[in-house]
Amino acid sequence: MQTLIENVNIINPFEEIETSQCVLIEEGVIKEISPSINTKGDVNVIDGEDNYLLAGFIDCHTHIFAKGFHKEENMANPLGIHFYNAVPHSLQTINAGVTTIRDCGSADLSFKLAQQRKLFTAPKIHLSITPLVMTGGHFDLLLPSGWDMEIMYPGFPKGRCDGIEEVLKKTREVKRAGADFIKVMCSGGVLTTNTSPEFSQFNKKELKTIVCEANASDMKVSAHCHSLKGMNNCIDAGFSSIEHGTFIDKKTACKMVKRNVSLVPTLLVHQFLYKNGFPAWDNYAEEKSAKLKEIVKVHKENIAVAYEQGVNILMGTDSGVIPHGHNLEELVHLTDIGMSEDEAIASGTVKAAEFLGKDNLGLVKENYIADLILVNSNPLEDISILSDNDNVLTVIQDGEIVK
């Protein structure tokens, strides 16, 4: 069946708004865009009511199974809850206007297959399966008590590895499990109690081994990294992206531009946690809050430096660490560091699509995939309107209405 969206104003970053347009969708693809389109046969007609049509957003850093990464919940809940959580999380993400996600750890191949088979409403996914982590590093969830809080089950490899031989094997295991890219924990973090964000993790030989094995399958490698030294190690090793990048400086930013390394700053997550804190029953809340306080001080101003130097910045939220469904609030934080509204929107649409290797996604254009959102106001005049999910009136994924 064809779908015809009438009377909409089309927004593509860095282009003039196309007013009073009609968009014809067939077999999940935009077939025609014109002020007037004649159709025959059975057509689903949507009155756009002079609202604004954009490409569906791509969140380049999520954890769709996660609900705060609280060890206490991992210990208490049956394993099945880990999977069932993805159903409401997915709906929250779709309702926010995000039609594709890049999951940076926790989701497995089952989610991708379930989405493709339309078992529930969910964003399309680019998988990392589980991050590689060194012994004692960020996301090594072995507690001082000796209890290991990492979730494990068949088909989901354990991420801990050390040395060239182990990281090589672990990269292959993650690839075998269905990963689309490799995620590596290359510095300490906030949520893991035995690490600190300013310290690098894995040595250069280990990092280069991971990249070499990933490149053999034409896969990108992404680094969770706050540490300045860690970022430089990753850039030298050939990583494709840095996630968070808290302590980045001008010299490192210039190096990223030269090597074509992208940055996913996830500004929202630190601001959200700093404002809302952690549950009262979280035994590690005080320690995590102390680390977070130091990060919030410098993160925003350092990312502004990276932007000024021309680093390719992509929209990502770290949803799962914080509640799902707040995704497009990240755009406000991106404009706060100096990005224009066009640049912020592009970071979560066409630029993100390019990074994922999708040359027919992220724009409202003929022959592009019909992942679209209809919003009730012009975000180029006020980007914050996208932060309110009620302003996202309709979400279309592969030509089908999902909101």
Side-chain angles (χ1 to χ4, degrees):
M1 178 187 287
Q2 293 180 325
T3 296
L4 179 64
I5 308 173
E6 297 181 323
N7 189 24
V8 291
N9 305 305
I10 296 174
I11 293 178
N12 285 312
F14 314 112
E15 297 181 9
E16 292 292 326
I17 296 176
E18 297 179 72
T19 59
S20 302
Q21 296 293 302
C22 297
V23 178
L24 181 65
I25 300 168
E26 184 178 320
E27 296 182 352
V29 175
I30 299 171
K31 288 296 183 182
E32 185 179 352
I33 298 174
S34 176
S36 178
I37 298 176
N38 295 318
T39 58
K40 296 180 180 180
D42 191 11
V43 179
N44 178 31
V45 179
I46 300 172
D47 184 356
E49 299 182 345
D50 200 34
N51 289 306
Y52 294 83
L53 191 70
L54 297 82
F57 279 85
I58 301 167
D59 190 330
C60 287
H61 191 124
T62 64
H63 303 277
I64 199 68
F65 280 19
K67 193 178 181 180
F69 289 105
H70 299 297
K71 301 176 183 66
E72 293 87 349
E73 290 189 337
N74 290 352
M75 183 166 59
N77 288 332
L79 177 62
I81 296 297
H82 180 62
F83 303 96
Y84 289 128
N85 278 337
V87 177
H89 296 170
S90 294
L91 187 59
Q92 290 163 346
T93 303
I94 286 287
N95 287 342
V98 173
T99 50
T100 299
I101 58 174
R102 176 173 169 261
D103 193 275
C104 287
S106 75
D108 65 10
L109 186 59
S110 68
F111 182 95
K112 189 174 189 176
L113 296 176
Q115 188 281 325
Q116 291 173 346
R117 296 171 187 178
K118 303 186 186 305
L119 299 184
F120 55 92
T121 300
K124 291 177 279 191
I125 194 167
H126 202 67
L127 285 169
S128 68
I129 306 294
T130 192
L132 276 58
V133 50
M134 73 178 198
T135 297
H138 181 50
F139 237 68
D140 180 354
L141 301 181
L142 183 72
L143 302 181
S145 63
W147 290 101
D148 191 344
M149 302 311 300
E150 185 173 357
I151 292 176
M152 294 176 288
Y153 52 90
F156 192 80
K158 193 176 184 69
R160 192 184 301 131
C161 53
D162 301 285
I164 292 174
E165 295 300 325
E166 284 191 13
V167 300
L168 175 61
K169 184 175 182 180
K170 191 61 61 178
T171 303
R172 290 174 176 172
E173 287 181 2
V174 170
K175 287 165 64 173
R176 180 177 63 187
D180 299 302
F181 71 104
I182 305 298
K183 168 79 177 299
V184 188
M185 298 303 198
C186 299
S187 82
V190 174
L191 297 184
T192 305
T193 55
N194 57 347
T195 69
S196 188
E198 68 268 25
F199 298 126
S200 64
Q201 296 181 357
F202 285 112
N203 62 45
K204 290 184 178 181
K205 289 183 179 179
E206 291 169 322
L207 298 175
K208 288 180 179 179
T209 299
I210 295 166
V211 170
C212 183
E213 180 58 31
N215 287 349
S217 302
D218 199 25
M219 296 169 69
K220 288 183 167 70
V221 185
S222 162
H224 157 99
C225 200
H226 300 283
S227 159
L228 186 61
K229 180 180 179 182
M231 281 183 263
N232 280 280
N233 287 346
C234 292
I235 297 165
D236 291 341
F239 277 55
S240 297
S241 71
I242 302 293
E243 317 292 311
H244 315 306
T246 300
F247 299 112
I248 193 169
D249 62 7
K250 181 177 179 179
K251 182 178 179 181
T252 303
C254 292
K255 191 175 180 180
M256 289 179 68
V257 173
K258 185 177 180 180
R259 304 281 182 88
N260 194 29
V261 180
S262 296
L263 174 63
V264 187
T266 64
L267 292 158
L268 171 63
V269 64
H270 297 145
Q271 298 288 341
F272 190 99
L273 290 175
Y274 189 66
K275 179 180 178 181
N276 295 283
F278 299 92
W281 48 260
D282 188 333
N283 294 325
Y284 299 96
E286 185 175 349
E287 180 180 342
K288 290 189 286 191
S289 295
K291 288 191 283 187
L292 189 63
K293 184 177 180 180
E294 294 302 312
I295 283 180
V296 168
K297 285 182 180 179
V298 299
H299 192 200
K300 180 179 175 180
E301 57 190 49
N302 288 348
I303 299 303
V305 169
Y307 165 69
E308 290 166 3
Q309 299 309 309
V311 174
N312 185 41
I313 292 177
L314 305 174
M315 188 196 86
T317 62
D318 222 352
S319 293
V321 174
I322 60 174
H324 298 268
H326 296 269
N327 307 68
L328 300 193
E329 288 182 26
E330 179 71 12
L331 301 175
V332 176
H333 294 288
L334 292 175
T335 57
D336 284 346
I337 64 159
M339 294 179 78
S340 69
E341 285 77 6
D342 280 298
E343 289 174 317
I345 291 171
S347 76
T349 54
V350 61
K351 291 291 186 181
E354 289 171 357
F355 181 80
L356 297 183
K358 306 291 186 180
D359 60 3
N360 62 343
L361 185 66
L363 292 171
V364 187
K365 298 281 188 183
E366 292 179 359
N367 300 316
Y368 272 64
I369 293 171
D371 287 358
L372 307 165
I373 65 170
L374 190 66
V375 300
N376 62 9
S377 303
N378 183 358
L380 296 177
E381 294 178 352
D382 180 7
I383 198 77
S384 70
I385 68 104
L386 294 172
S387 301
D388 185 345
N389 295 352
D390 289 340
N391 293 332
V392 181
L393 305 175
T394 303
V395 178
I396 295 172
Q397 184 187 59
D398 291 325
E400 297 185 7
I401 298 173
V402 290
K403 177 184 178 180

